[in-house]
Amino acid sequence: MITMIDIERQKIRRSKILLILLIPIVILWIPMIINADTNFNMQEEGILPEDNFLVQSFLGLAWFMFPASLVIGTVLLNQTERGNHGILKMLSLPISPAKLCMAKFILLLLLAAIQMAMMVLCYYLSAAAASSAEDYSFVQDLEKVLKLAGSVYLAAVPMAAVFWMIAVCVQTPVFSVGIGLAAIVPSVLAMNTRIWFAYPMCYPFRVVTARMHELATHMGTFPCELLPWVPTAAIITFVCLSIACVRFGQAERRG
């Protein structure tokens, strides 16, 4: 499996996927630096300016930027085999299509981890710039930042499984991207319902929102109960990956 993951990594080595992952992070942080003074207006909600600076940026990431990057990543990884009928060559080898499918999914998670690392790095660069501009320290402890980034990343795994299943099952890239992006939009509404745990696309946004409510003493509570969330997320991840493994290369094998 490690060898297959490394092979998949080499396939995208010359692609622009890392740049694609970096661009939304930069776009996200630029207005945060420019409008750093607005963080002082949130003290009425009982949240410190430095906490608001951190949480607001991750809200933008968790709601759209991160999910959209996963959608694009799934399609790019799936399409690496489509050019020049590469998928047929791979399927002709004594390699399990299911293992190849899982290798690509694991690579997707690794790319998501790289993007989250970019987010943390850009946070510190942006916090330093905002601190210099406002003469106020927005820089948080590394443990606090990593805890938030890690929770967002882990919450996104079931969502990544859903997007990967869509990319595998829907052969046309335009439709695959469209379905994925359309699934992101209702996440704001879904996370405010009692059955939010049944909609994986809202998990990261729910986690960050819950963290914001923890930091803001006047905003009340917005908990993320582990039950039934974790079992439901595990079932959704298993089902989606199982479907993806069964469907991966199925059309080409029939042909």
Side-chain angles (χ1 to χ4, degrees):
M1 179 61 71
I2 295 176
T3 302
M4 294 176 68
I5 294 172
D6 186 60
I7 292 174
E8 295 301 320
R9 180 192 61 81
Q10 294 181 34
K11 291 179 182 178
I12 64 170
R13 184 174 54 186
R14 296 181 181 179
S15 68
K16 305 295 183 181
I17 192 167
L18 292 181
L19 180 61
I20 294 174
L21 297 179
L22 178 61
I23 289 176
I25 301 298
V26 175
I27 294 175
L28 182 67
W29 280 112
I30 290 177
M32 291 297 299
I33 299 174
I34 297 175
N35 301 312
D37 60 316
T38 60
N39 292 283
F40 298 104
N41 301 330
M42 293 295 294
Q43 289 180 311
E44 294 181 358
E45 302 294 340
I47 185 170
L48 297 173
E50 58 269 31
D51 288 335
N52 191 65
F53 183 83
L54 173 64
V55 171
Q56 289 298 328
S57 59
F58 271 87
L59 279 174
L61 177 77
W63 175 64
F64 189 79
M65 294 295 190
F66 195 37
S69 297
L70 285 174
V71 171
I72 301 300
T74 56
V75 175
L76 289 177
L77 288 175
N78 201 33
Q79 291 303 309
T80 55
E81 306 294 353
R82 304 297 174 185
N84 299 320
H85 302 288
I87 185 66
L88 296 177
K89 300 175 183 178
M90 292 298 296
L91 293 175
S92 66
L93 299 175
I95 300 175
S96 169
K99 289 184 178 180
L100 179 59
C101 177
M102 286 304 302
K104 287 179 173 291
F105 178 72
I106 293 173
L107 181 59
L108 175 67
L109 296 183
L110 292 176
L111 291 173
I114 292 174
Q115 187 179 39
M116 195 57 67
M118 293 177 179
M119 180 66 177
V120 173
L121 176 60
C122 288
Y123 159 74
Y124 278 104
L125 294 175
S126 302
S131 299
S132 177
E134 299 297 329
D135 195 24
Y136 180 92
S137 179
F138 288 98
V139 180
Q140 298 272 24
D141 293 337
L142 179 61
E143 181 180 356
K144 191 173 187 178
V145 178
L146 290 180
K147 183 179 179 180
L148 180 59
S151 61
V152 173
Y153 175 77
L154 291 176
V157 173
M159 176 177 63
V162 174
F163 290 152
W164 179 243
M165 178 191 68
I166 293 173
V168 171
C169 295
V170 181
Q171 298 294 313
T172 307
V174 175
F175 292 155
S176 179
V177 171
I179 295 172
L181 294 180
I184 299 172
V185 178
S187 59
V188 178
L189 298 176
M191 79 164 189
N192 288 288
T193 65
R194 293 183 177 180
I195 57 170
W196 62 270
F197 50 84
Y199 198 73
M201 278 61 73
C202 77
Y203 290 176
F205 198 40
R206 174 92 184 193
V207 167
V208 182
T209 303
R211 181 56 179 161
M212 182 178 67
H213 280 255
E214 290 176 7
L215 295 172
T217 57
H218 301 159
M219 294 184 66
T221 60
F222 198 78
C224 288
E225 299 88 354
L226 296 182
L227 292 176
W229 177 25
V230 173
T232 304
I235 292 173
I236 292 174
T237 303
F238 176 78
V239 171
C240 289
L241 291 181
S242 298
I243 294 174
C245 288
V246 171
R247 291 295 305 275
F248 188 82
Q250 192 174 70
E252 288 77 9
R253 292 197 299 270
R254 288 176 178 176

